Each structure stands twice: as C-alpha cells, then as structure tokens.
C-alpha cells in the first residue's frame, strides 16, 4: 500500500511539472513562434498532436474492457451479498441516490459558474469533432439500452448496452457460485490486468499532458488559463458542497450525529485518500476508523466499504458532471434537458464502473461524453489538471462510502453512538 502511495506522489509531481512546463512552452510558442510554419507543422500539429492524441487513444483503449470487467466483478460482489439482504439493498440504494445527487450538484455548479465560456476550442480544433447527434425518440433511447447483440455493443463501444450486459453476467456469476468459479476467476483476473494496464498508461501521463497542454496553450495563449482555473474551481466547489453539505445533511437527518465531529474523525482517512488518489487502498483504514471512532460494526463495514470503493464514486461523478458542462461550453454545444438527465444516468453508471485507483474517472469520462455526443478530444483539455482533482475527488469518494455506511448501520440498530461521542 505504501508503495502505491509513493508511486502516486511521484507521478503526481511529474504530471504537475508537465502541466506547468506544457503551459509555459505553449505560451512561449504562442507569443514568439506563432507565425513560424515550421513550429506549427512539425511541433504543434506534429509532435504535440500525435503524442497527445496517442495518449488519449491509449486511454480510450482501456474503456470498454475496463468497464466491462469491473462491472461484472462489482455485480458479482453485490449478488454475493444476498445473505446480507436488507443491508445490501439499503446500501446500494444510498450509494445510487448520493451519486445522482452528486451529478445534479455538479451540473448546477457548472451551469452557474460557466467555466467553459470564453474558451473557443474551434480555434485549435483540427481533428474532426463528433458527428452531429441524430435526435432519437425517448422510447428508442430506452430500448437502446438493451443490447440486441452484446458482442456488437462491445465492438462499437455502446457503453450503456455493455453495462447492462455486464451487470446481468455479474449477477448470474454470483447466483451460480461454484459452478462458474472458473469464469468468475477469469473476469477477476482480467480486471486485474486492466487495472495494471491503466497504471501503465497513466505512467505516460506526464508526456501526454505536456503535449496536450502545450498544444492548447500554443493556440490560445493566456486565454486558456482562466477557463481552466474556473473549471478547477467549479469541481472543487461542487466537491465541497457534496462533502460538507449533502453528506452532512443526510447524516444529521438520518442518524442525528454531529457532522463536524464526523468530519473530524474522518479527516485522517480523507487525507490518506487525498494523497494516494486511490479509494481501494483506503479500504482498511476506512473500516478501522468507522469501527473505532464512529461505532460502525465490522459486520456491516467489511461489506459496505469495499463495495463502496468499487461502485460508489460520488467525487468522480462530480468531476464528470462539471467536465460535461465545461466541454459543452468550450465547444459551443447546447445541452438539452434530456442530455442533462442522460448525463446523470451515465455518470452514475460510470461511477459504478470506475475502479478505485488513480485517474480511472478520466477514462470512464469518455463514456459520459459519448452518451451526449461531446467530442472526446475535450478530455485532453482537462487532463492536465486532473491529477489534483483526482486527489480531491477520491477523498469525497471514500467519505460518501463512510456516510452511507454509518446511516445503514444506524438503521440496522447496530451503530454504537457511545464510540462516536468519545474523543
Ligand atoms: N481515483 C479515484 C478513486 O480511487 C477514481 C477516479 O475518479 O479516477 O476513487
């Protein structure tokens, strides 16, 4: 675990330096070499473009297999929990509800702050943007969730269909238990492979980020700076609202516990999640803290916390909600009310499919963009600053798991409030 922490911090610094280096290089090129055909053709539209887009393609390569395996494993774990009955259903209910609330908060913050306004992406856009969306009726949209041919859905990256099929497979794996142990193991191991692959691709992030940011800034100069800061601020504000507002109201209403005391007790776990950007690594510490400082029995937390670290990523879905609004504004695309509902649905599903390791939220973002026809190139825009946001959203991800777990324990009648009151 410690190793993960060290590696993560090392990579974080690298990405941060790449971001700064890319921005400075881009701005210098904008002011001093904007007219040079050589710089434009060979550097900006050559090296920066190829390396940057290559990195995005590597990330896109991960999406389908990563979401597919991670969801099968997640659904298999949920199916397993049938013994836990009521607790399982309540936990999943709270997890889904808080994620939907999170996306709604994010969309609202994004539409109030309007981070993408003033960033004219058409200025540096040389790749083809997404094909204009054909308008499909609501009935068709509903029907389209069911895959006619799951293999075709996988091949074409139809994420909603992939998700539906993966969920069904996972539930059946859990139902048939020992009879299908080999297939379950296969998907678990394939999931491990995909996580490892994600780590490998992420190791290239400093180079990818440098090229993407340098290209963006070489086309826009300082104009790119303010929208990017606004985007960052929007995500951080939405995360703060979710963590200190939504969660604490839910905690107070459902359990009567003091939100400030709860946050104080959770602070070390949140800091750990922040520094590693990995929900998964935080599982043991979260379970321990809930038992020793909050009064949640391990019988509940040992099931709900790992499940939450796999399927409940409220912080991640907040970043995705704000990113959708930001990129839509930057590309001048208007989002209809149906688009917004689609984003709430897909970002909630993406949160289920996001593995609790660094940067995966950025990978599943492609599927949210896809669902409303936003160009995936938009991801390149926010990739450079994502590392810092990844740290913040991971802290929110694990806090959401802890809050829901505490509420469920309270409803189960097993929350030891004496432990919570102790200093
Ligand atoms: N780093 C996040 C987590 O582990 C996932 C993500 O949003 O990339 O919770």
């Amino acid at each position: 675990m410690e190793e993960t922490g060290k590696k993560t911090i090392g990579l974080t610094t690298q990405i941060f330096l790449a971001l700064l280096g890319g921005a400075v290089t881009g701005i210098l090129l904008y002011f001093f070499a904007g007219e040079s055909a050589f710089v434009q053709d060979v550097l900006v539209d050559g090296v920066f473009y190829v390396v940057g887009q290559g990195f995005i393609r590597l990330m896109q390569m991960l999406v389908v297999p990563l979401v597919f395996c991670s969801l099968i494993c997640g659904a298999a774990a949920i199916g397993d929990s049938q013994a836990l009955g009521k607790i399982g259903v309540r936990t999943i209910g709270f997890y889904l509800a808080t994620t939907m609330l999170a996306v709604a908060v994010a969309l609202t913050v994004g539409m109030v702050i309007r981070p993408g306004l003033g960033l004219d992406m058409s200025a540096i856009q040389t790749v083809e943007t997404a094909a204009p969306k054909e308008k499909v009726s609501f009935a068709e949209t509903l029907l389209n969730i069911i895959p006619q041919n799951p293999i075709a859905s996988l091949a074409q990256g139809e994420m909603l269909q992939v998700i539906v099929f993966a969920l069904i497979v996972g539930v059946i794996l859990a139902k048939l238990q020992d009879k299908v142990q080999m297939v379950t193991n296969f998907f678990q191991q394939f999931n491990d492979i995909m996580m490892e692959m994600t780590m490998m691709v992420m190791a290239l992030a400093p180079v990818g980020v440098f090229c993407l940011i340098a290209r963006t800034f070489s086309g826009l100069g300082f104009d790119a700076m303010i929208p990017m800061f606004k985007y960052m601020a929007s995500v951080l504000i939405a995360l703060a609202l979710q963590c200190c507002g939504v969660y604490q109201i839910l905690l107070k209403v459902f359990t009567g516990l003091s939100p400030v005391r709860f946050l104080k007790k959770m602070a070390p776990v949140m800091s750990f999640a922040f520094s590693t950007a990995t929900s998964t690594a935080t599982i043991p510490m979260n379970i321990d803290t809930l038992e020793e400082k909050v009064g949640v029995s391990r019988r509940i937390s040992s099931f709900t916390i790992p499940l939450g670290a796999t399927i409940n990523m409220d912080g991640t879905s907040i970043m995705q909600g704000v990113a959708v609004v930001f990129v839509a504004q930057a590309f001048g695309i208007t989002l209809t009310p149906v688009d917004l509902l689609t984003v709430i649905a897909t970002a909630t599903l993406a949160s289920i499919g996001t593995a609790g390791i660094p940067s995966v939220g950025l990978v599943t973002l492609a599927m949210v963009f896809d669902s409303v026809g936003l160009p995936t190139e938009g991801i390149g825009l926010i990739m450079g600053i994502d590392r810092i946001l990844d740290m913040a959203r991971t802290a929110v991800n694990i806090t959401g798991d802890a809050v829901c777990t505490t509420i469920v324990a309270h409803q189960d009648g097993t929350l030891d409030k004496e432990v919570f009151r102790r200093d």
Side-chain angles (χ1 to χ4, degrees), residues 280-299:
T280 317
T282 319
I283 293 174
M285 195 174 175
N286 208 352
I287 293 179
D288 258 13
T289 307
L290 283 174
E291 183 181 33
E292 280 159 26
K293 296 191 184 166
V294 182
V296 178
S297 95
R298 263 172 200 265
R299 184 179 67 90

Side-chain angles (χ1 to χ4, degrees), residues 8-344:
T8 310
I9 290 166
L11 188 61
T12 306
T13 318
Q14 283 177 35
I15 295 180
F16 194 64
L17 291 176
L19 168 70
L20 285 181
V24 171
T25 310
I27 289 173
L28 288 178
L29 290 178
Y30 177 79
F31 284 110
F32 299 111
E35 305 293 299
S36 154
F38 176 79
V39 168
Q40 271 308 318
D41 296 345
V42 177
L43 210 57
V44 176
D45 291 332
V47 179
F48 291 168
Y49 176 69
V50 172
V51 177
Q53 292 299 317
F55 180 62
I56 293 189
R57 284 183 82 115
L58 279 175
M59 300 241 313
Q60 288 172 326
M61 172 184 87
L62 301 170
V63 179
V64 172
L66 184 81
V67 172
F68 188 58
C69 294
S70 149
L71 269 185
I72 289 183
C73 295
I78 297 170
D80 253 349
S81 67
Q82 260 162 3
L84 274 161
K86 239 188 197 169
I87 293 177
V89 173
R90 271 198 195 142
T91 309
I92 294 163
F94 270 111
Y95 281 166
L96 291 180
T98 48
T99 310
M100 286 187 201
L101 273 174
V103 192
V105 168
L107 291 174
T108 313
V109 171
M111 285 188 291
V112 171
I113 299 187
R114 301 175 172 215
L117 237 59
L119 183 63
D120 182 11
M121 279 308 287
S122 52
I124 59 158
Q125 200 59 22
T126 53
V127 284
E128 77 287 5
T129 42
K133 263 180 303 166
E134 315 153 17
K135 287 281 163 209
V136 206
S137 74
F138 185 65
E140 280 303 315
T141 311
L142 264 187
L143 278 176
N144 271 341
I145 297 175
I146 306 170
Q148 279 174 314
N149 174 354
I151 307 295
S153 316
L154 282 166
Q156 283 153 16
E158 289 288 350
M159 290 319 293
L160 273 181
Q161 300 181 352
V162 169
I163 287 168
V164 168
F165 187 65
L167 287 177
I168 298 174
V169 173
V171 169
I172 292 175
L173 286 184
K175 192 171 164 217
L176 298 183
Q177 298 269 343
D178 292 346
K179 274 195 231 157
V180 290
Q181 198 54 49
M182 217 165 88
V183 180
T184 310
N185 288 348
F186 169 80
F187 280 116
Q188 271 162 0
Q189 290 176 1
F190 205 79
N191 197 24
D192 291 343
I193 292 178
M194 290 317 299
M195 291 231 214
E196 186 62 33
M197 206 183 286
T198 307
M199 298 279 206
M200 286 165 76
V201 172
M202 282 308 146
L204 301 174
V207 183
V209 163
F210 177 87
C211 292
L212 287 164
I213 294 291
R215 184 161 185 270
T216 305
F217 276 80
S218 72
L220 296 172
F222 284 115
D223 287 357
M225 206 88 112
I226 294 165
M228 303 267 259
F229 276 124
K230 274 199 192 159
Y231 163 74
M232 239 174 122
S234 308
V235 175
L236 292 176
I237 290 171
L239 288 175
L241 283 176
Q242 178 79 4
C243 194
C244 306
V246 175
Y247 288 157
Q248 305 318 323
I249 292 171
L250 289 176
L251 190 75
K252 189 82 198 161
V253 170
F254 282 100
T255 68
L257 297 182
S258 150
V260 177
R261 184 173 272 259
F262 182 85
L263 281 177
K264 264 194 201 153
K265 293 189 176 232
M266 284 301 294
V269 194
M270 290 165 81
S271 329
F272 185 71
F274 182 82
S275 49
T276 59
T278 314
S279 301
T280 317
T282 319
I283 293 174
M285 195 174 175
N286 208 352
I287 293 179
D288 258 13
T289 307
L290 283 174
E291 183 181 33
E292 280 159 26
K293 296 191 184 166
V294 182
V296 178
S297 95
R298 263 172 200 265
R299 184 179 67 90
I300 293 180
S301 62
S302 61
F303 155 70
T304 57
I305 293 297
L307 180 68
T310 317
I311 69 164
N312 186 41
M313 308 278 181
D314 299 348
T316 303
S317 57
I318 283 180
M319 174 280 283
Q320 298 182 333
V322 176
V324 163
V325 179
F326 175 64
V327 169
Q329 287 165 353
F331 282 86
I333 298 168
T334 317
L335 295 168
T336 64
V338 176
D339 287 339
L340 296 180
L341 289 177
T342 312
V343 171
I344 294 185

Side-chain angles (χ1 to χ4, degrees), residues 276-281 309 312-313 315-317 319-320 354-364 386 389-391 393-395 397-398:
T276 59
T278 314
S279 301
T280 317
N312 186 41
M313 308 278 181
T316 303
S317 57
M319 174 280 283
Q320 298 182 333
T354 303
I357 53 172
S359 301
V360 182
L362 210 54
V363 177
T364 48
D386 189 67
L389 298 178
D390 191 8
M391 297 163 81
R393 69 176 178 254
T394 307
N397 285 345
I398 59 98

